[in-house]
């Protein structure tokens, strides 16, 4: 084929700023490699977490470059050999190897920045570490990573600097507090202006590539498939939290199996439902029940054949019943298989390995309630996951450069939207109202709890200043972190807009009292504006559950006194009124403080809203709200009213049967 005559000038920017220039085979090859690099970097950090759970310190150290450095709080080790020794010594008996021990090192909320030449990168992550020695000792620590990565001569990504800033730590019993008193801001490697640039504009001509267009088409499909498998697993997780068993079953294949290690295997739709009912409870949440199973550090390996995939990750269940004051933890590893049937990814097998099950009030120090796990679910080989020239690779048949660039743009959009989501979480942790406002699109808008929505970067920032004040102290006595893990990201056809659902997992810390966890859900939209990803719509639902304190946990909440009046909206809105109040939004926000209906507070069950239908069956959820949350009341705030496509809300409905509308 004559590539030179197939030059394409993109009519619209599509996630990669470089499409302002013509797409050629060489530039497509370079752009594919840059999106793959972002994913390879995330996968290394995820594998580091997964290996730590089984004390694989040598393999963890092998992810460092030959002169790579690890800085953990105030301790430093350089080079793989010293790093391995440090990892082993530091974890001691809390190494996941000693019977009943635990070492779960979570890294989540990645904000990855690739260098202009594509050969190095920086990334910020949130960290949490749950440890126990199996004979009574248990601790928790948390902080922020600002890490650096390099590409070695073999083209493999390595960690050149793992820099963990220790912010909070403490024993399980009694809980964690700030490390070293009031906490400084952890320096940022990015600015609000740079955070939405999916991939920096490269300098100069793209180098000559040896890749064929068929190979690039396969690699792009593989990236697109990874996005869909991620969405499928993450969406499944929210149905599990909510005990929406019918929706869970819809995501599985006809002959699916669910294996609970040490318990048994369940087959088919009936088996899936049976395992869920037997080990988790009846369909639906009733007052006081917390069934959260957040998913962390998941790696997805799409088989080069394009129709099979494996995902392995960490699940930390936070379970409870506020009626009986029961509460527990579960640390599980999942390793699931997926197949693509008629163009739709489905769950084929679930394989869950429990590492620790522990009573909340006792903790996991003694190894928990079940006998110690000895099974190591096989790791995914991230070198292979990121290995592109694999033999079995299906050759793509799509040779339309413009269409391939669009498809690649949709995967770049997945990372760009996720990046911007985490940028928001990081700056809001630091109550940096100015930076936060600058993450928004010109007509972007944000919900403020107990108040309403504000539109524009200036007004979202002023609303934030009105809530938190303008005087930020450089040392803070307490912080509430805004983790936004487990995103379900639905990207529009043209790759210029995305709908993003994320969990809010909120660990807190303070100098004076033990921190604890809360949980809620974000329902957001992002757009590509002037070549940068920006926040379009940010909505936080009020807490689905809260901890009364570290000691009490999530099961200590008492139901509200129903004779007391519902709490009023925030006082400050009289000073700085929103563009639309929660009350004016109507039904969607009616159960929140300041909303139009009856206020709901944990341990009552908040309604869980969804922006999308079931991703496989198209089933409409009970609480369904497609599009931006304020858009029914403010139609001119909708994406489509502003020149963007509305991302898909699930598979398209065609003539009574559901068919996907996204290719
Ligand atoms: C590590 O090695 C690389 C490649 O040899 C070199 O460019 C870099 O400066 C070194 N870094 C440090 C911190 O020594
Ligand atoms: C390093 O940090 C740990 C944990 O915060 C602390 O216990 C220890 O005293 C510190 N060591 C030094 C040398 O500052
Ligand atoms: C994320 O933000 C960083 C920091 O500004 C930027 O350099 C990087 O290109 C972005 N990455 C993605 C995948 O959007
Ligand atoms: C499921 O298993 C049955 C019985 O073995 C078989 O007839 C059917 O074709 C299988 N379904 C799929 C989708 O593979
Ligand atoms: C991972 O995959 C690569 C590439 O296929 C291979 O060279 C390497 O040996 C594998 N590593 C392990 C631990 O299996
Ligand atoms: C800001 O807060 C600090 C610490 O609370 C205080 O010392 C300082 O005077 C305040 N500055 C202004 C301008 O209010
Ligand atoms: C509930 O609130 C009402 C009205 O304030 C009050 O009279 C009553 O004592 C409260 N009941 C309890 C159990 O606190
Ligand atoms: C739906 O299917 C029926 C029967 O197959 C057909 O008559 C009808 O025209 C279809 N409707 C649409 C909108 O395609």
């Amino acid at each position: 084929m004559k590539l030179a005559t197939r030059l394409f000038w993109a009519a619209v920017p599509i996630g990669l700023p470089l499409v302002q220039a013509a797409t050629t085979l060489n530039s497509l090859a370079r752009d594919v490699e840059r999106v793959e690099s972002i994913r390879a970097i995330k996968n290394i950090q995820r594998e580091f977490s997964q290996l730590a759970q089984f004390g694989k310190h040598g393999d963890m150290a092998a992810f460092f470059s030959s002169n790579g450095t690890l800085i953990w709080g105030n301790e430093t080790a350089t080079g793989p050999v010293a790093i391995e020794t440090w990892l082993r010594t530091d974890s001691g008996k809390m190494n996941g190897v000693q019977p009943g021990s635990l070492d779960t090192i979570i890294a989540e909320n990645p904000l990855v920045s690739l260098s202009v030449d594509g050969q190095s990168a920086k990334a910020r992550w949130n960290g949490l570490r749950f440890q126990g020695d199996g004979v009574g000792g248990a601790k928790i620590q948390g902080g922020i990573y600002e890490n650096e990565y390099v590409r070695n001569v073999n083209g493999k990504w390595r960690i050149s600097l793992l820099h963990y800033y220790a912010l909070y730590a403490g024993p399980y019993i009694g809980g964690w507090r700030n490390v070293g008193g009031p906490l400084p801001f952890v320096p940022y490697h990015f600015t609000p202006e740079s955070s939405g640039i999916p991939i920096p504009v490269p300098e100069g001509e793209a180098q000559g590539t040896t890749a064929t267009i068929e190979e690039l088409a396969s690699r792009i499909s593989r990236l697109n498939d990874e996005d869909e498998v991620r969405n499928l697993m993450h969406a499944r997780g929210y149905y599990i939290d909510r005990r929406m068993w019918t929706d869970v079953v819809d995501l599985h294949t006809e002959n699916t199996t669910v294996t609970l290690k040490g318990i048994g295997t369940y087959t088919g739709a009936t088996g899936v439902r049976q395992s869920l009912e037997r080990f988790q409870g009846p369909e639906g949440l009733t007052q006081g029940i917390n069934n959260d199973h957040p998913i962390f550090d998941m790696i997805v390996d799409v088989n080069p054949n394009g129709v099979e995939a494996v995902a392995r990750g960490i699940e930390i269940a936070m379970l409870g019943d506020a009626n009986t004051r029961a509460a527990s933890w579960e640390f599980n590893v999942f390793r699931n298989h997926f197949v693509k049937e008629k163009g739709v990814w489905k769950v084929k097998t679930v394989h869950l390995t429990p590492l620790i099950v522990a009573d909340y009030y006792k903790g996991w120090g003694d190894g928990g309630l079940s006998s110690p796990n000895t099974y190591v679910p096989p790791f995914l080989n991230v070198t292979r996951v990121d290995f592109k020239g694999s033999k079995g690779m299906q050759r793509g048949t799509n040779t339309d450069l413009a269409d391939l660039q669009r498809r690649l743009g949709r995967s770049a959009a997945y990372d760009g939207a996720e990046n911007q989501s985490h940028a928001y979480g990081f700056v809001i942790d630091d109550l940096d109202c100015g930076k936060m406002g600058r993450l928004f699109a010109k007509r972007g808008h944000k919900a403020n709890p107990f108040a309403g929505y504000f539109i524009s970067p200036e007004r979202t920032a002023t609303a934030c200043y009105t809530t938190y004040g303008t005087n930020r102290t450089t040392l803070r006595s307490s912080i509430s972190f805004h983790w936004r893990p487990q995103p379900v990201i639905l990207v529009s056809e043209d790759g210029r807009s995305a709908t993003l659902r994320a969990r809010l997992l909120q660990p807190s810390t303070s100098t004076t009292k033990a921190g604890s966890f809360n949980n809620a859900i974000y329902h957001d939209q992002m757009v590509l504006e002037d070549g940068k990803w920006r926040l379009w719509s940010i909505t936080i639902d009020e807490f689905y559950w809260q901890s009364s304190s570290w000691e009490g946990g999530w099961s200590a909440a008492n139901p509200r006194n129903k004779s007391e009046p519902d709490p009023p909206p925030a006082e400050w809105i009289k000073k700085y009124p929103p563009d639309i109040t929660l009350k004016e939004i109507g039904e969607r926000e009616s159960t929140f403080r300041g909303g139009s209906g009856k206020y709901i507070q944990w341990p009552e069950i908040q309604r869980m809203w969804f922006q999308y239908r079931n991703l496989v069956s198209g089933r409409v959820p009970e609480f369904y709200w497609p599009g931006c949350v304020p858009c029914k009341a403010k139609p001119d705030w909708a994406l489509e009213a502003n020149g963007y496509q509305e991302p898909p809300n699930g598979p398209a409905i065609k003539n009574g049967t559901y068919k996907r509308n996204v290719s």
Side-chain angles (χ1 to χ4, degrees), residues 284-300:
L285 282 191
T286 49
Q287 177 159 331
I289 304 295
N290 177 5
N291 195 53
D292 271 9
H293 291 70
I295 288 172
F296 301 103
D297 287 304
M298 178 170 75
I299 297 171
V300 174

Side-chain angles (χ1 to χ4, degrees), residues 180-200:
L183 297 172
F185 296 109
V186 175
Y188 289 79
H189 77 264
F190 64 94
T191 66
E193 285 65 36
S194 71
S195 68
I197 300 176
I199 315 277

Side-chain angles (χ1 to χ4, degrees), residues 606-643:
Q606 196 59 263
R607 302 181 298 182
M608 187 187 268
W609 291 90
F610 289 86
Q611 303 129 303
Y612 49 82
R613 291 172 284 111
N614 187 292
L615 297 180
V616 170
S617 68
R619 180 186 306 282
V620 177
E622 187 182 3
F623 300 112
Y624 179 46
W625 197 274
C628 96
V629 170
C631 283
K632 284 193 188 149
K634 289 273 192 193
D636 61 317
W637 289 11
L639 288 170
E640 282 182 344
N642 291 274

Side-chain angles (χ1 to χ4, degrees), residues 17 27 47 128 134 140 149 200 287 340 451 467 511 514 555 594 601:
S27 74
E47 186 86 332
L128 258 171
I140 296 181
Y149 306 82
Q287 177 159 331
K340 200 176 193 176
T467 318
T511 39
S555 287
Q601 187 186 51

Side-chain angles (χ1 to χ4, degrees), residues 54-70:
F54 297 91
K56 304 279 182 198
H57 301 123
D59 295 326
M60 292 163 77
F63 278 127
F64 284 78
S65 59
S66 56
N67 58 1
T69 299
L70 175 147

Side-chain angles (χ1 to χ4, degrees), residues 521-549:
I521 300 282
Y522 281 105
H523 306 262
D524 302 340
Q525 292 189 319
M526 321 273 170
V527 295
L528 190 65
E529 180 178 272
D530 303 332
K532 289 179 187 169
W533 281 91
R534 302 282 90 179
L535 306 175
W536 182 258
S537 187
I538 297 283
T539 292
I540 180 70
D541 284 351
E542 277 180 24
F543 291 118
Y544 285 72
W545 54 261
Q546 280 179 282
S547 300
S548 341
S549 64

